[in-house]
Amino acid sequence: MAKINENFSKLKKNYLFIEIAKRIKAYTESNPEEAKKLIRMGIGDVTRPLAPVVVSAMEKACAELGVKETFRGYEDSGAGYDFLKNAVSDYYKSFGADVSPDEIRISDGAKSDCGNIIDIFGSGNTVLVTDPAYPVYVDSNIMNGNDVIFADSTEENGFAAMPDKNIKADLIYLCSPNNPTGSVYNKAQLKEWVDYALANNAVIIYDAAYEAFITEDDIPRSIFCIEGAKKCAIEICSLSKTAGFTGTRCGYTVIPKDLVQKDSNGNDVHLADIWARRQGSKFNGVSYPVQRGAEAVFTPEGQKQCKENIAYYQENARVIASTCDELGIKYTGGVNSPYIWLKCPNDMGSWDFFDMLLTKIQVVGTPGAGFGKNGDGWFRLTAFGTHEATKEAMERLKGLLK
């Protein structure tokens, strides 16, 4: 009889967004006419089309694949084409982070890498996750048999948990701008986390998927803007929110050459080497047209066009935040993030508030309880809809709560 990975039995029965989909489906089937008015502000999926410069680059690359002389098959290394790694490296330099092209591996997105990166670490590690947190951080480690502990992000600390020197962790997950809370770490706070990791010989897995939404000058765009981070951190980033690649799939992971851990025999192991080995065995790389499209994101025209889309979503965030201000609802996010993390009114639970918005005003958000115990009583709304839908949803919310 085949043995199964019994760690899966320790997971919650349904992934958060599957549970949301089930509730929407049940409501839609019971209320088909009302369901036609649904406005979805839950899953963080973009709605703006790819930038024209990206589409042109992908079209040109597809045409190359239709000609014998320019056809490409498997990419040689699976780490990404040099043209894209060079572009990503230059992008890092634009905001003061020194990342060389050979420290970058191109992937099919941040979610995959946030889970897959655990493959290069042994089971039984103590993994520190800030709570609330993106569910993938917790689930992937439970699947791997790791001991997950939590650092509390709460209203009192601005949903930006800081390290406790009395707790020792082997791996640390950080996300800034944060999903789901929209909070950010400033340079001093990140330096404190880096110092903690160095003191404990721990590795930070830093999710920077929303860095393009940062607007304030004192908020680092990368953990590699922090002194010492290259000796203790892995950074994972995505073009999904930066450039609308949710349906195209492309991201990148940075593992510095200086990031070294010991094996059980006391030998130095460069984590970049074993990540390369893992990816070489389990991943064949991102398609050539997608990588050409990603390269176009980092051109001056690509940055201009993508920033126009980001500004569109930032205006939606402003509308949501303004509505919360008008209603006297506490919230974080919305400034350096496409997420608004709001406190449920009248001490309601997250799922109760979800059901009320769904059934009373046909607006879908994400219950904070799905992100951890500190999320209960809070609710996430995304700014990725259209202007029209966002404004309509906020008018409905005012009508419901005023």
Side-chain angles (χ1 to χ4, degrees):
M1 182 173 68
K3 294 179 181 178
I4 64 169
N5 183 349
E6 296 187 11
N7 290 314
F8 276 78
S9 66
K10 301 174 185 176
L11 298 171
K12 292 180 180 179
K13 184 176 180 181
N14 281 332
Y15 181 57
L16 171 61
F17 296 107
I18 293 176
E19 177 61 28
I20 290 172
K22 283 178 61 179
R23 295 194 184 206
I24 294 172
K25 183 174 184 290
Y27 175 75
T28 300
E29 290 175 350
S30 300
N31 305 273
E33 289 304 312
E34 290 298 307
K36 292 178 182 178
K37 299 186 291 183
L38 273 179
I39 298 175
R40 298 174 185 265
M41 303 178 71
I43 295 176
D45 195 2
V46 297
T47 54
R48 302 280 289 172
L50 293 170
V53 68
V54 172
V55 175
S56 295
M58 293 178 69
E59 288 175 341
K60 181 181 177 182
C62 285
E64 289 178 33
L65 297 182
V67 178
K68 181 180 179 181
E69 288 74 18
T70 53
F71 173 78
R72 295 172 186 246
Y74 289 123
E75 179 200 322
D76 289 340
S77 68
Y81 290 104
D82 287 343
F83 61 76
L84 180 51
K85 291 189 290 183
N86 288 331
V88 173
S89 176
D90 289 342
Y91 177 67
Y92 270 99
K93 290 174 186 173
S94 72
F95 49 77
D98 181 18
V99 172
S100 67
D102 58 358
E103 293 176 316
I104 299 164
R105 290 191 74 92
I106 306 303
S107 73
D108 60 353
K111 181 178 182 180
S112 300
D113 282 3
C114 281
N116 292 336
I117 197 73
I118 295 304
D119 284 0
I120 70 173
F121 299 100
S123 60
N125 280 302
T126 298
V127 182
L128 182 64
V129 179
T130 59
D131 178 338
Y134 186 40
V136 171
Y137 309 156
V138 177
D139 289 355
S140 57
N141 278 285
I142 290 175
M143 293 172 191
N144 202 51
N146 287 327
D147 179 22
V148 181
I149 61 175
F150 297 96
D152 290 330
S153 291
T154 63
E155 182 179 356
E156 288 68 32
N157 61 24
F159 289 100
M162 297 304 295
D164 182 343
K165 294 179 181 178
N166 297 315
I167 296 174
K168 182 172 176 18
D170 304 304
L171 299 173
I172 304 157
Y173 275 84
L174 297 179
C175 178
S176 179
N178 186 266
N179 177 16
T181 69
S183 60
V184 291
Y185 284 117
N186 61 33
K187 193 168 186 178
Q189 289 172 318
L190 280 182
K191 183 66 168 69
E192 191 170 333
W193 274 110
V194 166
D195 289 345
Y196 170 85
L198 291 171
N200 286 279
N201 199 26
V203 176
I204 295 172
I205 299 170
Y206 190 78
D207 184 351
Y210 301 93
E211 57 81 19
F213 283 83
I214 292 174
T215 58
E216 296 176 320
D217 293 337
D218 62 338
I219 304 300
R221 300 280 290 273
S222 165
I223 198 166
F224 299 125
C225 294
I226 308 301
E227 183 183 357
K230 296 195 83 172
K231 293 184 177 181
C232 68
I234 294 169
E235 182 160 295
I236 297 171
C237 200
S238 168
L239 294 182
S240 289
K241 308 308 189 295
T242 301
F245 275 51
T246 53
T248 310
R249 311 307 305 142
C250 191
Y252 44 92
T253 288
V254 180
I255 303 185
K257 304 170 193 173
D258 293 341
L259 183 50
V260 177
Q261 292 281 293
K262 300 283 188 183
D263 65 17
S264 59
N265 295 315
N267 300 313
D268 285 347
V269 177
H270 290 263
L271 295 190
D273 292 342
I274 56 174
W275 177 240
R277 185 65 180 87
R278 186 269 177 206
Q279 292 295 81
S281 294
K282 293 189 174 184
F283 184 61
N284 264 340
V286 176
S287 73
Y288 174 68
V290 168
Q291 291 197 53
R292 280 298 187 191
E295 178 193 26
V297 168
F298 299 105
T299 63
E301 183 60 27
Q303 286 292 287
K304 175 178 177 291
Q305 293 178 9
C306 290
K307 286 177 180 177
E308 288 172 357
N309 282 344
I310 289 172
Y312 183 96
Y313 298 132
Q314 288 171 326
E315 171 59 18
N316 285 343
R318 188 199 64 77
V319 169
I320 300 168
S322 177
T323 299
C324 290
D325 289 335
E326 186 175 336
L327 294 172
I329 295 174
K330 292 182 179 179
Y331 66 93
T332 59
V335 177
N336 298 294
S337 166
Y339 297 125
I340 287 78
W341 179 250
L342 61 91
K343 194 168 188 177
C344 299
N346 304 317
D347 295 322
M348 292 183 71
S350 297
W351 283 106
D352 292 333
F353 191 56
F354 172 89
D355 290 334
M356 184 175 77
L357 294 190
L358 174 63
T359 59
K360 299 294 186 184
I361 62 172
Q362 293 75 51
V363 171
V364 176
T366 309
F371 297 100
K373 69 178 179 65
N374 290 323
D376 198 15
W378 292 78
F379 202 77
R380 191 189 77 173
L381 292 175
T382 79
F384 289 119
T386 64
H387 285 340
E388 295 76 16
T390 301
K391 290 175 182 176
E392 172 61 23
M394 293 302 98
E395 289 302 315
R396 293 183 194 177
L397 186 63
K398 291 178 191 177
L400 177 67
L401 297 181
K402 270 191 171 179

